[in-house]
Amino acid sequence: DIQMTQSPSTLSASVGDRVTITCRASQSINNGVAWYQQKPGKAPKLLIYGASSLESGVPSRFSGSGSGTEFTLTISGLQPDDFARYYCQQYYSQNTFGQGTRLEI
Amino acid sequence: EVQLVESGGGLVQPGRSLRLSCSSSGFNFGDHAMNWVRQAPGKGLEWVGFIRTKASGETTSYAASVRGRFTISRDDSKGIAYLQMDSLKTEDTAVYFCNRWTGGASFGAYWGQGTLATVSS
């Protein structure tokens, strides 16, 4: 099974900051990565798919990059609504989620 | 508008069974594979399994933690996906979400709101 190691587990930042979350796959997964945002009591919301494609309706301050085994989610110019938990997911072979990153003020 | 609604959660004793449903509307259900994902209280997301379309043989795949105990099925005439959970363990306590594949890829742009299954004596 493919493992996804996500870091950091917690990230402290301020409104306006630029932050980066990283996921590392245990083997090459081409660009089969999606990123989600989740708020308490809600279902995850798709942000990025194909490692770098922005889902329709998602603000352009969210971006994704990477291929192979290293992937990043970058949020440029944090807004108050962005403080939430973020997960990566590989869908190259079955599915695996990263452990999650809590983005806090 | 695409909608997914999970139901069937509740309190069940260890070793017993529970069947969850994922009811769909707003799209042609038979054209899409479906995932089940769970989230234990205060924990991260865990993929449970998926079922492909009838055209792809309705093949299924499961996480190692549930393989042999959980079964995913679908009824395209009703637009419903099911998660049959047998031999339940306390560690299966979680909110269970269904989501719809996007094209031929198993990431989900559309999710239900989740249903809580609690396994406890």
Side-chain angles (χ1 to χ4, degrees), chain A residues 1 34 36 38 41-46 49-50 55 85 87 89-92 94-99, chain B residues 35 37 39 42-47 50 61-64 67 97 102 105-113:
Chain A
D1 292 0
Y36 298 87
Q38 189 182 31
K42 300 293 188 181
K45 174 187 176 183
L46 178 66
Y49 61 93
E55 170 68 0
R85 192 172 294 270
Y87 295 91
Q89 176 203 27
Q90 70 80 17
Y91 55 90
Y92 176 79
Q94 298 186 327
N95 276 200
T96 315
F97 287 93
Q99 300 93 327
Chain B
N35 279 321
V37 173
Q39 187 168 37
K43 303 297 184 182
L45 301 170
E46 180 187 16
W47 172 72
F50 62 63
S61 183
Y62 300 94
R67 196 174 298 138
F97 298 97
T102 302
S106 60
F107 62 88
Y110 297 99
W111 293 63
Q113 84 290 348

mmCIF file of all heavy atoms in Angstrom, chain A residues 1 34 36 38 41-46 49-50 55 85 87 89-92 94-99, chain B residues 35 37 39 42-47 50 61-64 67 97 102 105-113:
data_model
loop_
_atom_site.group_PDB
_atom_site.id
_atom_site.type_symbol
_atom_site.label_atom_id
_atom_site.label_comp_id
_atom_site.label_asym_id
_atom_site.label_seq_id
_atom_site.Cartn_x
_atom_site.Cartn_y
_atom_site.Cartn_z
ATOM 1 N N ASP A 1 0.833 -1.193 0.000
ATOM 2 C CA ASP A 1 0.000 0.000 0.000
ATOM 3 C C ASP A 1 0.876 1.254 0.000
ATOM 4 O O ASP A 1 1.954 1.276 0.592
ATOM 5 C CB ASP A 1 -0.901 0.031 1.243
ATOM 6 C CG ASP A 1 -1.963 -1.062 1.211
ATOM 7 O OD1 ASP A 1 -1.990 -1.826 0.227
ATOM 8 O OD2 ASP A 1 -2.749 -1.139 2.169
ATOM 9 N N ALA A 34 -4.631 14.781 -4.687
ATOM 10 C CA ALA A 34 -5.645 15.800 -4.453
ATOM 11 C C ALA A 34 -5.421 16.399 -3.066
ATOM 12 O O ALA A 34 -4.843 15.753 -2.188
ATOM 13 C CB ALA A 34 -7.042 15.194 -4.547
ATOM 14 N N TYR A 36 -7.514 18.608 0.090
ATOM 15 C CA TYR A 36 -8.828 18.950 0.617
ATOM 16 C C TYR A 36 -8.684 19.885 1.822
ATOM 17 O O TYR A 36 -7.704 19.813 2.565
ATOM 18 C CB TYR A 36 -9.586 17.704 1.094
ATOM 19 C CG TYR A 36 -9.867 16.690 0.023
ATOM 20 C CD1 TYR A 36 -8.936 15.713 -0.291
ATOM 21 C CD2 TYR A 36 -11.075 16.707 -0.667
ATOM 22 C CE1 TYR A 36 -9.201 14.762 -1.271
ATOM 23 C CE2 TYR A 36 -11.346 15.759 -1.645
ATOM 24 C CZ TYR A 36 -10.401 14.794 -1.937
ATOM 25 O OH TYR A 36 -10.664 13.858 -2.912
ATOM 26 N N GLN A 38 -10.892 20.849 5.307
ATOM 27 C CA GLN A 38 -12.010 20.401 6.121
ATOM 28 C C GLN A 38 -12.174 21.285 7.346
ATOM 29 O O GLN A 38 -11.207 21.585 8.038
ATOM 30 C CB GLN A 38 -11.842 18.948 6.572
ATOM 31 C CG GLN A 38 -13.102 18.388 7.247
ATOM 32 C CD GLN A 38 -12.942 16.966 7.743
ATOM 33 O OE1 GLN A 38 -11.872 16.541 8.132
ATOM 34 N NE2 GLN A 38 -14.049 16.212 7.743
ATOM 35 N N GLY A 41 -16.987 19.434 11.727
ATOM 36 C CA GLY A 41 -18.355 19.009 11.493
ATOM 37 C C GLY A 41 -18.792 19.025 10.050
ATOM 38 O O GLY A 41 -19.975 18.794 9.768
ATOM 39 N N LYS A 42 -17.861 19.265 9.131
ATOM 40 C CA LYS A 42 -18.200 19.355 7.708
ATOM 41 C C LYS A 42 -17.464 18.298 6.904
ATOM 42 O O LYS A 42 -16.459 17.744 7.341
ATOM 43 C CB LYS A 42 -17.836 20.739 7.166
ATOM 44 C CG LYS A 42 -18.545 21.887 7.852
ATOM 45 C CD LYS A 42 -20.027 21.868 7.569
ATOM 46 C CE LYS A 42 -20.704 23.128 8.093
ATOM 47 N NZ LYS A 42 -22.173 23.108 7.830
ATOM 48 N N ALA A 43 -17.977 18.033 5.709
ATOM 49 C CA ALA A 43 -17.282 17.147 4.793
ATOM 50 C C ALA A 43 -16.069 17.861 4.209
ATOM 51 O O ALA A 43 -16.040 19.097 4.139
ATOM 52 C CB ALA A 43 -18.216 16.708 3.670
ATOM 53 N N PRO A 44 -15.068 17.114 3.779
ATOM 54 C CA PRO A 44 -13.926 17.740 3.098
ATOM 55 C C PRO A 44 -14.362 18.454 1.824
ATOM 56 O O PRO A 44 -15.330 18.049 1.166
ATOM 57 C CB PRO A 44 -13.020 16.545 2.777
ATOM 58 C CG PRO A 44 -13.393 15.505 3.779
ATOM 59 C CD PRO A 44 -14.867 15.680 3.976
ATOM 60 N N LYS A 45 -13.617 19.502 1.490
ATOM 61 C CA LYS A 45 -13.857 20.266 0.275
ATOM 62 C C LYS A 45 -12.649 20.126 -0.628
ATOM 63 O O LYS A 45 -11.513 20.383 -0.208
ATOM 64 C CB LYS A 45 -14.080 21.741 0.619
ATOM 65 C CG LYS A 45 -14.199 22.654 -0.593
ATOM 66 C CD LYS A 45 -14.249 24.111 -0.168
ATOM 67 C CE LYS A 45 -14.268 25.048 -1.373
ATOM 68 N NZ LYS A 45 -14.248 26.468 -0.961
ATOM 69 N N LEU A 46 -12.870 19.722 -1.878
ATOM 70 C CA LEU A 46 -11.778 19.547 -2.828
ATOM 71 C C LEU A 46 -11.204 20.901 -3.232
ATOM 72 O O LEU A 46 -11.941 21.803 -3.628
ATOM 73 C CB LEU A 46 -12.279 18.805 -4.069
ATOM 74 C CG LEU A 46 -11.267 18.575 -5.184
ATOM 75 C CD1 LEU A 46 -10.163 17.619 -4.732
ATOM 76 C CD2 LEU A 46 -11.960 18.047 -6.444
ATOM 77 N N TYR A 49 -6.636 18.987 -7.635
ATOM 78 C CA TYR A 49 -6.543 17.614 -8.116
ATOM 79 C C TYR A 49 -5.467 17.556 -9.189
ATOM 80 O O TYR A 49 -5.034 18.596 -9.715
ATOM 81 C CB TYR A 49 -7.889 17.108 -8.653
ATOM 82 C CG TYR A 49 -8.417 17.902 -9.820
ATOM 83 C CD1 TYR A 49 -8.135 17.516 -11.130
ATOM 84 C CD2 TYR A 49 -9.174 19.057 -9.635
ATOM 85 C CE1 TYR A 49 -8.596 18.246 -12.205
ATOM 86 C CE2 TYR A 49 -9.639 19.796 -10.701
ATOM 87 C CZ TYR A 49 -9.349 19.387 -11.980
ATOM 88 O OH TYR A 49 -9.804 20.125 -13.048
ATOM 89 N N GLY A 50 -5.016 16.349 -9.500
ATOM 90 C CA GLY A 50 -3.938 16.222 -10.477
ATOM 91 C C GLY A 50 -2.687 16.953 -10.052
ATOM 92 O O GLY A 50 -1.921 17.420 -10.893
ATOM 93 N N GLU A 55 -9.579 23.263 -8.453
ATOM 94 C CA GLU A 55 -10.997 22.919 -8.595
ATOM 95 C C GLU A 55 -11.804 24.194 -8.856
ATOM 96 O O GLU A 55 -11.496 25.268 -8.317
ATOM 97 C CB GLU A 55 -11.502 22.219 -7.330
ATOM 98 C CG GLU A 55 -13.002 22.001 -7.228
ATOM 99 C CD GLU A 55 -13.560 20.999 -8.245
ATOM 100 O OE1 GLU A 55 -12.781 20.467 -9.047
ATOM 101 O OE2 GLU A 55 -14.784 20.756 -8.194
ATOM 102 N N ARG A 85 -8.399 22.433 8.671
ATOM 103 C CA ARG A 85 -7.489 21.282 8.532
ATOM 104 C C ARG A 85 -7.385 20.926 7.057
ATOM 105 O O ARG A 85 -8.385 21.002 6.308
ATOM 106 C CB ARG A 85 -8.015 20.102 9.346
ATOM 107 C CG ARG A 85 -7.023 18.977 9.505
ATOM 108 C CD ARG A 85 -7.544 17.931 10.480
ATOM 109 N NE ARG A 85 -7.656 18.438 11.853
ATOM 110 C CZ ARG A 85 -6.695 18.372 12.763
ATOM 111 N NH1 ARG A 85 -5.518 17.838 12.450
ATOM 112 N NH2 ARG A 85 -6.888 18.832 13.976
ATOM 113 N N TYR A 87 -5.830 18.094 4.075
ATOM 114 C CA TYR A 87 -5.407 16.713 3.823
ATOM 115 C C TYR A 87 -4.963 16.541 2.371
ATOM 116 O O TYR A 87 -5.601 17.076 1.459
ATOM 117 C CB TYR A 87 -6.554 15.728 4.058
ATOM 118 C CG TYR A 87 -7.033 15.643 5.482
ATOM 119 C CD1 TYR A 87 -8.068 16.450 5.937
ATOM 120 C CD2 TYR A 87 -6.454 14.746 6.383
ATOM 121 C CE1 TYR A 87 -8.522 16.370 7.247
ATOM 122 C CE2 TYR A 87 -6.898 14.654 7.692
ATOM 123 C CZ TYR A 87 -7.936 15.470 8.114
ATOM 124 O OH TYR A 87 -8.382 15.377 9.416
ATOM 125 N N GLN A 89 -4.346 13.506 -0.556
ATOM 126 C CA GLN A 89 -4.857 12.177 -0.891
ATOM 127 C C GLN A 89 -4.166 11.704 -2.159
ATOM 128 O O GLN A 89 -4.093 12.452 -3.136
ATOM 129 C CB GLN A 89 -6.364 12.224 -1.144
ATOM 130 C CG GLN A 89 -6.986 10.901 -1.596
ATOM 131 C CD GLN A 89 -8.299 11.098 -2.347
ATOM 132 O OE1 GLN A 89 -8.543 12.130 -2.959
ATOM 133 N NE2 GLN A 89 -9.165 10.101 -2.288
ATOM 134 N N GLN A 90 -3.649 10.468 -2.138
ATOM 135 C CA GLN A 90 -3.149 9.902 -3.385
ATOM 136 C C GLN A 90 -4.249 8.997 -3.939
ATOM 137 O O GLN A 90 -4.900 8.250 -3.204
ATOM 138 C CB GLN A 90 -1.824 9.151 -3.194
ATOM 139 C CG GLN A 90 -1.885 7.840 -2.429
ATOM 140 C CD GLN A 90 -2.364 6.658 -3.271
ATOM 141 O OE1 GLN A 90 -2.385 6.687 -4.513
ATOM 142 N NE2 GLN A 90 -2.788 5.588 -2.604
ATOM 143 N N TYR A 91 -4.467 9.100 -5.248
ATOM 144 C CA TYR A 91 -5.449 8.236 -5.910
ATOM 145 C C TYR A 91 -4.823 7.499 -7.088
ATOM 146 O O TYR A 91 -5.523 7.028 -7.983
ATOM 147 C CB TYR A 91 -6.693 9.038 -6.329
ATOM 148 C CG TYR A 91 -6.427 10.247 -7.198
ATOM 149 C CD1 TYR A 91 -6.409 10.149 -8.578
ATOM 150 C CD2 TYR A 91 -6.214 11.496 -6.629
ATOM 151 C CE1 TYR A 91 -6.172 11.252 -9.372
ATOM 152 C CE2 TYR A 91 -5.974 12.611 -7.414
ATOM 153 C CZ TYR A 91 -5.957 12.484 -8.782
ATOM 154 O OH TYR A 91 -5.728 13.589 -9.573
ATOM 155 N N TYR A 92 -3.509 7.394 -7.069
ATOM 156 C CA TYR A 92 -2.794 6.670 -8.125
ATOM 157 C C TYR A 92 -3.092 5.176 -8.040
ATOM 158 O O TYR A 92 -3.295 4.503 -9.043
ATOM 159 C CB TYR A 92 -1.296 6.946 -7.980
ATOM 160 C CG TYR A 92 -0.430 6.191 -8.941
ATOM 161 C CD1 TYR A 92 -0.291 6.602 -10.264
ATOM 162 C CD2 TYR A 92 0.281 5.057 -8.526
ATOM 163 C CE1 TYR A 92 0.516 5.910 -11.147
ATOM 164 C CE2 TYR A 92 1.078 4.355 -9.408
ATOM 165 C CZ TYR A 92 1.198 4.786 -10.711
ATOM 166 O OH TYR A 92 1.992 4.096 -11.586
ATOM 167 N N GLN A 94 -5.503 2.709 -5.514
ATOM 168 C CA GLN A 94 -6.487 2.805 -4.446
ATOM 169 C C GLN A 94 -6.492 4.246 -3.933
ATOM 170 O O GLN A 94 -6.406 5.185 -4.725
ATOM 171 C CB GLN A 94 -6.204 1.786 -3.345
ATOM 172 C CG GLN A 94 -6.286 0.341 -3.840
ATOM 173 C CD GLN A 94 -6.159 -0.658 -2.721
ATOM 174 O OE1 GLN A 94 -5.460 -0.443 -1.740
ATOM 175 N NE2 GLN A 94 -6.871 -1.775 -2.843
ATOM 176 N N ASN A 95 -6.639 4.425 -2.624
ATOM 177 C CA ASN A 95 -6.637 5.779 -2.034
ATOM 178 C C ASN A 95 -5.857 5.732 -0.733
ATOM 179 O O ASN A 95 -5.948 4.746 0.020
ATOM 180 C CB ASN A 95 -8.063 6.225 -1.678
ATOM 181 C CG ASN A 95 -8.848 6.830 -2.823
ATOM 182 O OD1 ASN A 95 -9.819 7.532 -2.626
ATOM 183 N ND2 ASN A 95 -8.418 6.543 -4.028
ATOM 184 N N THR A 96 -5.141 6.807 -0.441
ATOM 185 C CA THR A 96 -4.554 6.979 0.878
ATOM 186 C C THR A 96 -4.573 8.464 1.202
ATOM 187 O O THR A 96 -4.248 9.285 0.339
ATOM 188 C CB THR A 96 -3.079 6.512 0.928
ATOM 189 O OG1 THR A 96 -2.943 5.253 0.278
ATOM 190 C CG2 THR A 96 -2.597 6.416 2.363
ATOM 191 N N PHE A 97 -4.915 8.799 2.429
ATOM 192 C CA PHE A 97 -4.872 10.182 2.887
ATOM 193 C C PHE A 97 -3.638 10.414 3.750
ATOM 194 O O PHE A 97 -3.165 9.503 4.453
ATOM 195 C CB PHE A 97 -6.101 10.512 3.726
ATOM 196 C CG PHE A 97 -7.378 10.637 2.923
ATOM 197 C CD1 PHE A 97 -8.207 9.535 2.767
ATOM 198 C CD2 PHE A 97 -7.745 11.835 2.336
ATOM 199 C CE1 PHE A 97 -9.388 9.630 2.031
ATOM 200 C CE2 PHE A 97 -8.910 11.942 1.597
ATOM 201 C CZ PHE A 97 -9.732 10.828 1.444
ATOM 202 N N GLY A 98 -3.130 11.635 3.688
ATOM 203 C CA GLY A 98 -2.130 12.049 4.646
ATOM 204 C C GLY A 98 -2.775 12.227 6.018
ATOM 205 O O GLY A 98 -4.003 12.194 6.155
ATOM 206 N N GLN A 99 -1.940 12.445 7.026
ATOM 207 C CA GLN A 99 -2.427 12.514 8.406
ATOM 208 C C GLN A 99 -3.159 13.816 8.713
ATOM 209 O O GLN A 99 -3.838 13.933 9.730
ATOM 210 C CB GLN A 99 -1.263 12.346 9.384
ATOM 211 C CG GLN A 99 -0.535 11.022 9.239
ATOM 212 C CD GLN A 99 0.649 11.116 8.296
ATOM 213 O OE1 GLN A 99 0.662 11.870 7.314
ATOM 214 N NE2 GLN A 99 1.673 10.326 8.566
ATOM 215 N N ASN B 35 -16.871 6.199 -3.603
ATOM 216 C CA ASN B 35 -15.971 5.918 -2.486
ATOM 217 C C ASN B 35 -16.726 5.960 -1.167
ATOM 218 O O ASN B 35 -17.718 6.689 -1.032
ATOM 219 C CB ASN B 35 -14.905 7.025 -2.367
ATOM 220 C CG ASN B 35 -13.753 6.889 -3.310
ATOM 221 O OD1 ASN B 35 -13.269 5.814 -3.578
ATOM 222 N ND2 ASN B 35 -13.295 8.020 -3.816
ATOM 223 N N VAL B 37 -15.391 6.852 2.792
ATOM 224 C CA VAL B 37 -14.281 7.376 3.584
ATOM 225 C C VAL B 37 -14.797 7.556 5.007
ATOM 226 O O VAL B 37 -15.950 7.950 5.192
ATOM 227 C CB VAL B 37 -13.785 8.730 3.025
ATOM 228 C CG1 VAL B 37 -12.738 9.360 3.939
ATOM 229 C CG2 VAL B 37 -13.229 8.558 1.612
ATOM 230 N N GLN B 39 -14.000 8.855 9.293
ATOM 231 C CA GLN B 39 -13.216 9.731 10.159
ATOM 232 C C GLN B 39 -13.604 9.449 11.601
ATOM 233 O O GLN B 39 -14.706 9.784 12.034
ATOM 234 C CB GLN B 39 -13.474 11.193 9.807
ATOM 235 C CG GLN B 39 -12.584 12.173 10.526
ATOM 236 C CD GLN B 39 -12.672 13.564 9.926
ATOM 237 O OE1 GLN B 39 -13.728 14.021 9.504
ATOM 238 N NE2 GLN B 39 -11.539 14.255 9.878
ATOM 239 N N GLY B 42 -12.153 13.078 16.215
ATOM 240 C CA GLY B 42 -10.918 13.795 16.445
ATOM 241 C C GLY B 42 -9.731 13.325 15.624
ATOM 242 O O GLY B 42 -8.608 13.783 15.852
ATOM 243 N N LYS B 43 -9.959 12.435 14.675
ATOM 244 C CA LYS B 43 -8.866 11.863 13.873
ATOM 245 C C LYS B 43 -8.954 12.310 12.413
ATOM 246 O O LYS B 43 -9.833 13.081 12.032
ATOM 247 C CB LYS B 43 -8.906 10.332 13.953
ATOM 248 C CG LYS B 43 -8.816 9.787 15.358
ATOM 249 C CD LYS B 43 -7.498 10.140 16.035
ATOM 250 C CE LYS B 43 -7.397 9.499 17.406
ATOM 251 N NZ LYS B 43 -6.135 9.890 18.095
ATOM 252 N N GLY B 44 -8.023 11.796 11.594
ATOM 253 C CA GLY B 44 -7.976 12.158 10.188
ATOM 254 C C GLY B 44 -8.885 11.298 9.325
ATOM 255 O O GLY B 44 -9.612 10.428 9.804
ATOM 256 N N LEU B 45 -8.812 11.549 8.031
ATOM 257 C CA LEU B 45 -9.617 10.821 7.071
ATOM 258 C C LEU B 45 -8.978 9.477 6.752
ATOM 259 O O LEU B 45 -7.757 9.377 6.627
ATOM 260 C CB LEU B 45 -9.752 11.634 5.778
ATOM 261 C CG LEU B 45 -10.394 13.011 5.923
ATOM 262 C CD1 LEU B 45 -10.239 13.796 4.624
ATOM 263 C CD2 LEU B 45 -11.853 12.891 6.307
ATOM 264 N N GLU B 46 -9.806 8.459 6.609
ATOM 265 C CA GLU B 46 -9.326 7.119 6.239
ATOM 266 C C GLU B 46 -10.198 6.586 5.114
ATOM 267 O O GLU B 46 -11.425 6.471 5.264
ATOM 268 C CB GLU B 46 -9.366 6.163 7.429
ATOM 269 C CG GLU B 46 -8.877 4.757 7.081
ATOM 270 C CD GLU B 46 -9.058 3.745 8.211
ATOM 271 O OE1 GLU B 46 -9.820 4.025 9.159
ATOM 272 O OE2 GLU B 46 -8.466 2.664 8.129
ATOM 273 N N TRP B 47 -9.570 6.255 3.989
ATOM 274 C CA TRP B 47 -10.302 5.640 2.894
ATOM 275 C C TRP B 47 -10.756 4.252 3.319
ATOM 276 O O TRP B 47 -9.979 3.475 3.898
ATOM 277 C CB TRP B 47 -9.410 5.557 1.669
ATOM 278 C CG TRP B 47 -9.986 4.785 0.537
ATOM 279 C CD1 TRP B 47 -11.014 5.161 -0.272
ATOM 280 C CD2 TRP B 47 -9.572 3.500 0.075
ATOM 281 N NE1 TRP B 47 -11.260 4.190 -1.207
ATOM 282 C CE2 TRP B 47 -10.389 3.161 -1.023
ATOM 283 C CE3 TRP B 47 -8.584 2.607 0.480
ATOM 284 C CZ2 TRP B 47 -10.257 1.963 -1.716
ATOM 285 C CZ3 TRP B 47 -8.439 1.414 -0.211
ATOM 286 C CH2 TRP B 47 -9.275 1.102 -1.293
ATOM 287 N N PHE B 50 -14.017 1.450 -2.407
ATOM 288 C CA PHE B 50 -14.797 1.993 -3.502
ATOM 289 C C PHE B 50 -15.450 0.892 -4.323
ATOM 290 O O PHE B 50 -15.094 -0.291 -4.200
ATOM 291 C CB PHE B 50 -13.972 2.916 -4.405
ATOM 292 C CG PHE B 50 -12.781 2.294 -5.122
ATOM 293 C CD1 PHE B 50 -12.933 1.280 -6.050
ATOM 294 C CD2 PHE B 50 -11.507 2.792 -4.902
ATOM 295 C CE1 PHE B 50 -11.849 0.741 -6.732
ATOM 296 C CE2 PHE B 50 -10.407 2.260 -5.579
ATOM 297 C CZ PHE B 50 -10.577 1.237 -6.487
ATOM 298 N N SER B 61 -12.777 -2.414 -4.096
ATOM 299 C CA SER B 61 -11.461 -2.433 -3.472
ATOM 300 C C SER B 61 -11.633 -1.896 -2.060
ATOM 301 O O SER B 61 -12.454 -0.987 -1.846
ATOM 302 C CB SER B 61 -10.479 -1.577 -4.264
ATOM 303 O OG SER B 61 -9.187 -1.651 -3.702
ATOM 304 N N TYR B 62 -10.874 -2.450 -1.115
ATOM 305 C CA TYR B 62 -11.048 -2.104 0.290
ATOM 306 C C TYR B 62 -9.704 -1.828 0.964
ATOM 307 O O TYR B 62 -8.666 -2.406 0.595
ATOM 308 C CB TYR B 62 -11.737 -3.247 1.033
ATOM 309 C CG TYR B 62 -13.102 -3.585 0.491
ATOM 310 C CD1 TYR B 62 -13.263 -4.588 -0.460
ATOM 311 C CD2 TYR B 62 -14.231 -2.888 0.913
ATOM 312 C CE1 TYR B 62 -14.510 -4.889 -0.983
ATOM 313 C CE2 TYR B 62 -15.488 -3.190 0.401
ATOM 314 C CZ TYR B 62 -15.617 -4.186 -0.544
ATOM 315 O OH TYR B 62 -16.858 -4.487 -1.056
ATOM 316 N N ALA B 63 -9.754 -0.992 1.993
ATOM 317 C CA ALA B 63 -8.593 -0.799 2.850
ATOM 318 C C ALA B 63 -8.347 -2.080 3.642
ATOM 319 O O ALA B 63 -9.279 -2.830 3.955
ATOM 320 C CB ALA B 63 -8.832 0.367 3.800
ATOM 321 N N ALA B 64 -7.106 -2.305 3.975
ATOM 322 C CA ALA B 64 -6.730 -3.523 4.702
ATOM 323 C C ALA B 64 -7.476 -3.634 6.033
ATOM 324 O O ALA B 64 -7.802 -4.734 6.480
ATOM 325 C CB ALA B 64 -5.223 -3.548 4.925
ATOM 326 N N ARG B 67 -11.046 -5.001 5.072
ATOM 327 C CA ARG B 67 -11.183 -6.073 4.084
ATOM 328 C C ARG B 67 -11.641 -7.369 4.752
ATOM 329 O O ARG B 67 -11.116 -7.767 5.794
ATOM 330 C CB ARG B 67 -9.844 -6.282 3.371
ATOM 331 C CG ARG B 67 -9.926 -7.072 2.078
ATOM 332 C CD ARG B 67 -8.557 -7.076 1.399
ATOM 333 N NE ARG B 67 -8.149 -5.717 1.045
ATOM 334 C CZ ARG B 67 -6.910 -5.246 1.212
ATOM 335 N NH1 ARG B 67 -5.983 -6.016 1.749
ATOM 336 N NH2 ARG B 67 -6.614 -4.004 0.852
ATOM 337 N N PHE B 97 -18.421 8.910 5.340
ATOM 338 C CA PHE B 97 -18.790 9.758 4.211
ATOM 339 C C PHE B 97 -18.782 8.934 2.923
ATOM 340 O O PHE B 97 -17.919 8.054 2.750
ATOM 341 C CB PHE B 97 -17.766 10.885 4.003
ATOM 342 C CG PHE B 97 -17.612 11.865 5.127
ATOM 343 C CD1 PHE B 97 -16.582 11.719 6.057
ATOM 344 C CD2 PHE B 97 -18.456 12.955 5.240
ATOM 345 C CE1 PHE B 97 -16.416 12.644 7.075
ATOM 346 C CE2 PHE B 97 -18.295 13.890 6.252
ATOM 347 C CZ PHE B 97 -17.272 13.725 7.176
ATOM 348 N N THR B 102 -14.559 11.495 -9.761
ATOM 349 C CA THR B 102 -14.573 12.522 -10.795
ATOM 350 C C THR B 102 -14.010 11.885 -12.063
ATOM 351 O O THR B 102 -12.807 11.649 -12.153
ATOM 352 C CB THR B 102 -13.734 13.733 -10.367
ATOM 353 O OG1 THR B 102 -14.253 14.245 -9.142
ATOM 354 C CG2 THR B 102 -13.789 14.808 -11.440
ATOM 355 N N ALA B 105 -11.171 9.043 -12.083
ATOM 356 C CA ALA B 105 -10.238 9.197 -10.967
ATOM 357 C C ALA B 105 -10.976 9.216 -9.639
ATOM 358 O O ALA B 105 -12.072 9.784 -9.535
ATOM 359 C CB ALA B 105 -9.434 10.489 -11.125
ATOM 360 N N SER B 106 -10.380 8.604 -8.636
ATOM 361 C CA SER B 106 -11.100 8.380 -7.378
ATOM 362 C C SER B 106 -10.964 9.495 -6.354
ATOM 363 O O SER B 106 -11.080 9.238 -5.151
ATOM 364 C CB SER B 106 -10.676 7.044 -6.768
ATOM 365 O OG SER B 106 -9.286 7.034 -6.503
ATOM 366 N N PHE B 107 -10.731 10.729 -6.814
ATOM 367 C CA PHE B 107 -10.848 11.837 -5.865
ATOM 368 C C PHE B 107 -12.275 12.355 -5.944
ATOM 369 O O PHE B 107 -12.983 12.114 -6.925
ATOM 370 C CB PHE B 107 -9.829 12.938 -6.155
ATOM 371 C CG PHE B 107 -9.983 13.596 -7.493
ATOM 372 C CD1 PHE B 107 -10.823 14.680 -7.665
ATOM 373 C CD2 PHE B 107 -9.265 13.139 -8.596
ATOM 374 C CE1 PHE B 107 -10.959 15.289 -8.905
ATOM 375 C CE2 PHE B 107 -9.393 13.735 -9.833
ATOM 376 C CZ PHE B 107 -10.244 14.818 -9.984
ATOM 377 N N GLY B 108 -12.707 13.052 -4.906
ATOM 378 C CA GLY B 108 -14.111 13.424 -4.829
ATOM 379 C C GLY B 108 -14.367 14.910 -4.729
ATOM 380 O O GLY B 108 -13.954 15.558 -3.766
ATOM 381 N N ALA B 109 -15.077 15.444 -5.720
ATOM 382 C CA ALA B 109 -15.516 16.828 -5.653
ATOM 383 C C ALA B 109 -16.858 16.939 -4.926
ATOM 384 O O ALA B 109 -17.223 18.017 -4.457
ATOM 385 C CB ALA B 109 -15.641 17.415 -7.053
ATOM 386 N N TYR B 110 -17.566 15.818 -4.839
ATOM 387 C CA TYR B 110 -18.883 15.827 -4.201
ATOM 388 C C TYR B 110 -18.908 14.803 -3.082
ATOM 389 O O TYR B 110 -18.617 13.627 -3.310
ATOM 390 C CB TYR B 110 -19.979 15.510 -5.230
ATOM 391 C CG TYR B 110 -20.066 16.545 -6.323
ATOM 392 C CD1 TYR B 110 -19.476 16.325 -7.568
ATOM 393 C CD2 TYR B 110 -20.723 17.755 -6.103
ATOM 394 C CE1 TYR B 110 -19.541 17.275 -8.563
ATOM 395 C CE2 TYR B 110 -20.794 18.712 -7.090
ATOM 396 C CZ TYR B 110 -20.194 18.469 -8.319
ATOM 397 O OH TYR B 110 -20.260 19.419 -9.306
ATOM 398 N N TRP B 111 -19.280 15.281 -1.897
ATOM 399 C CA TRP B 111 -19.327 14.460 -0.693
ATOM 400 C C TRP B 111 -20.693 14.611 -0.033
ATOM 401 O O TRP B 111 -21.329 15.656 -0.115
ATOM 402 C CB TRP B 111 -18.266 14.921 0.319
ATOM 403 C CG TRP B 111 -16.850 14.713 -0.101
ATOM 404 C CD1 TRP B 111 -16.198 15.274 -1.171
ATOM 405 C CD2 TRP B 111 -15.875 13.922 0.575
ATOM 406 N NE1 TRP B 111 -14.894 14.858 -1.195
ATOM 407 C CE2 TRP B 111 -14.660 14.040 -0.134
ATOM 408 C CE3 TRP B 111 -15.906 13.123 1.722
ATOM 409 C CZ2 TRP B 111 -13.492 13.372 0.256
ATOM 410 C CZ3 TRP B 111 -14.751 12.473 2.112
ATOM 411 C CH2 TRP B 111 -13.558 12.593 1.389
ATOM 412 N N GLY B 112 -21.089 13.562 0.700
ATOM 413 C CA GLY B 112 -22.232 13.697 1.572
ATOM 414 C C GLY B 112 -21.821 14.359 2.883
ATOM 415 O O GLY B 112 -20.660 14.686 3.093
ATOM 416 N N GLN B 113 -22.794 14.524 3.773
ATOM 417 C CA GLN B 113 -22.534 15.193 5.051
ATOM 418 C C GLN B 113 -22.031 14.224 6.110
ATOM 419 O O GLN B 113 -21.558 14.645 7.161
ATOM 420 C CB GLN B 113 -23.817 15.890 5.544
ATOM 421 C CG GLN B 113 -24.789 14.999 6.293
ATOM 422 C CD GLN B 113 -25.495 13.964 5.429
ATOM 423 O OE1 GLN B 113 -25.451 14.024 4.200
ATOM 424 N NE2 GLN B 113 -26.169 13.014 6.061
#
